[in-house]
Amino acid sequence: MATGTTVAGHVVDATTGVPRAALWLDRVLRVVDRLPARSSSAIGINQAGQVLLQTQAVTLTTYPGDPPVVVASLGKRWGAVWFNGQESSVLPLKPWGAVVPYDIHASGTVVGRSGAAIPCQAGLSSGDARPGRAFLWKNVVTLALSNQVTAKGVVLPTGSVLARALDNNDQGSILAIMTCSSGSDSRVRLTARP
């Protein structure tokens, strides 16, 4: 994703093959995540320069050979917001869950999916494959989007849940996926009310 002359993405570490979050800023490539034991990608950047990261635990195993072979095993997904060298974790709604962030707003609000991992995702047990819930992360707190919506008086159809929040804008609208009791998905637009 690009903002002005800044592009957010990742580069691949030549030694380990692990992706590292990076920014292309004014014709200079800057790796913003060098933490060991994880891979990362910068998936968004807002006008304030806050960078949304998708991170994933990584275990590297080196096998002898000529040349040696390095194999990366991936674990749970997490999110983080990086700004001026400081990082704030986007934590899941439940301790056992994963976090898949999708978008960062100009104010630093993050939306995404929490509480469920993709069942086929490497490194996850079947216990991680619980139903996902859309989340809103603001002021370093992860909130269930369904709870925020119902607190404003919105009634979701019986048996429906907000499963993923995909995007948010400056006017306070959020694009989300609502999963109905039948299992079908619908895109819904949530508009902020005072």
Side-chain angles (χ1 to χ4, degrees):
M1 168 170 253
T3 302
T5 58
T6 303
V7 178
H10 67 266
V11 295
V12 177
D13 184 297
T15 306
T16 63
V18 173
R20 298 289 183 182
L23 298 177
W24 179 261
L25 176 59
D26 297 326
R27 300 182 186 185
V28 176
L29 181 64
R30 178 177 182 193
V31 177
V32 297
D33 179 23
R34 295 187 185 275
L35 292 177
R38 79 174 191 184
S39 70
S40 61
S41 183
I43 60 172
I45 185 168
N46 65 14
Q47 296 87 341
Q50 295 172 305
V51 181
L52 179 59
L53 303 179
Q54 171 71 68
T55 65
Q56 193 165 14
V58 174
T59 302
L60 297 175
T61 306
T62 303
Y63 295 97
D66 188 23
V69 176
V70 178
V71 176
S73 301
L74 302 176
K76 284 190 180 180
R77 291 183 177 191
W78 301 97
V81 174
W82 181 91
F83 184 65
N84 287 338
Q86 300 295 316
E87 188 176 299
S88 298
S89 294
V90 178
L91 298 175
L93 292 168
K94 303 280 185 184
W96 42 255
V99 170
V100 180
Y102 289 108
D103 188 45
I104 187 166
H105 180 271
S107 68
T109 301
V110 174
V111 295
R113 178 176 59 87
S114 175
I118 300 166
C120 62
Q121 184 178 331
L124 297 173
S125 68
S126 59
D128 287 320
R130 295 179 171 95
R133 297 292 182 262
F135 75 84
L136 180 73
W137 182 86
K138 62 182 182 179
N139 302 324
V140 197
V141 176
T142 306
L143 305 165
L145 186 57
S146 294
N147 294 349
Q148 299 303 302
V149 168
T150 56
K152 296 283 185 179
V154 175
V155 178
L156 297 174
T158 302
S160 297
V161 295
L162 295 173
R164 295 182 303 254
L166 303 174
D167 199 5
N168 58 1
N169 67 19
D170 292 339
Q171 291 74 38
S173 292
I174 297 173
L175 174 63
I177 301 291
M178 180 175 67
T179 301
C180 301
S181 58
S182 66
S184 64
D185 288 340
S186 299
R187 291 182 186 267
V188 296
R189 182 179 140 200
L190 309 168
T191 303
R193 292 193 319 207

